[in-house]
Each structure stands twice: as C-alpha cells, then as structure tokens.
Amino acid sequence: SKPSDDKVHNKIELKTQRKLLRNNGTSAEATLWLLLKGKQLEGRKFRRQHSVGNYVLDFYCPSENLAVELDGEPHFTDEGIKRDEIRAKYILGLQIRIIRFENNEVFDNPQAVLLEIRKHFR
C-alpha cells in the first residue's frame, strides 16, 4: 500500500533543507519559477522545493502528480546519474511522473520548456 501522504510529502525534518534550497536555488530555478508560480501555466499550482520522502523536488504540481527537475553539472557524473536513478525509482513508485530539463534549456528556450511541461498535463 502507498505510504500515507503526511509521512511522505514535506516532512518536517526536511523543512530547513527545503527553505535553504529555495533561498539558494540556481538561477535556472529562479527563472522557471517566475514562469510557473501563481498558477500561470494553465491554472496549475506548482510548488517549489517540495519534498517527497527524503528527496526534494525542484518543482511539483500536486494536481498533475508531476515533478519538474532541472539538472546542472552534478547530475552528469556517474555518481549523479546513479543517485538520480535511485531517486527516480522511489518518486515514480509514488505515481509521481518526472520530467527533466538541463539548466541551459530554461535560459535558451523557456517557451519550449513550458510547452513540454504542458504536454505532460492530463
């Protein structure tokens, strides 16, 4: 059976870490957040630095069960790839779909990123 939401989403013990990540996010995250916050994308609410289990998602849309992850350099090492696979398996196990973008995509073509996110709406 699926773990109960209160034990999985935004665990209290990760609150400080979530806040730290929010306040020290990458410029790509800040840029994408400006386009997602306030239900700008087809009225969908997104949360920034939302934790699921022991993992913190860059962006999460509860109504779509959709995580949007932005990847910088640390994700492209062998260790980073392995870590992302373990993390993805856990998140997908909670029926949360994940879409990933490289940081530079957000700067180079934000409209294409938004279009891709929109394609994943049910």
Side-chain angles (χ1 to χ4, degrees):
S1 69
K2 196 170 130 182
S4 69
D5 270 0
D6 56 333
K7 297 283 184 279
V8 173
H9 288 270
N10 283 338
K11 288 172 146 182
I12 284 292
E13 53 276 26
L14 290 177
K15 188 173 184 171
T16 309
Q17 186 189 353
R18 286 194 303 272
K19 191 170 182 172
L20 199 68
L21 287 166
R22 256 195 304 275
N23 295 336
N24 299 288
T26 64
S27 49
E29 285 173 19
T31 301
L32 185 55
W33 182 239
L34 291 175
L35 303 170
L36 292 178
K37 71 180 186 180
K39 299 186 179 179
Q40 291 179 77
L41 194 60
E42 292 190 11
R44 303 311 198 278
K45 179 173 178 57
F46 278 86
R47 295 186 177 151
R48 193 168 157 204
Q49 302 302 342
H50 176 87
S51 72
V52 176
N54 293 320
Y55 300 107
V56 180
L57 306 172
D58 292 336
F59 301 97
Y60 176 64
C61 178
S63 64
E64 295 291 337
N65 259 0
L66 182 65
V68 178
E69 296 283 270
L70 297 183
D71 296 339
E73 289 302 318
H75 292 272
F76 307 127
T77 63
D78 287 345
E79 192 182 310
I81 290 165
K82 197 171 289 166
R83 221 184 7 249
D84 282 344
E85 281 174 7
I86 294 165
R87 186 174 185 271
K89 194 175 283 183
Y90 176 82
I91 295 164
L92 292 167
L94 296 171
Q95 316 302 302
I96 296 171
R97 297 166 298 139
I98 306 167
I99 45 177
R100 313 189 81 92
F101 299 98
E102 289 184 32
N103 287 339
N104 59 4
E105 292 179 81
V106 174
F107 302 120
D108 297 345
N109 201 341
Q111 290 311 313
V113 169
L114 292 178
L115 186 66
E116 188 59 33
I117 293 170
R118 212 181 275 121
K119 278 187 197 163
H120 285 80
F121 290 165
R122 295 193 179 97

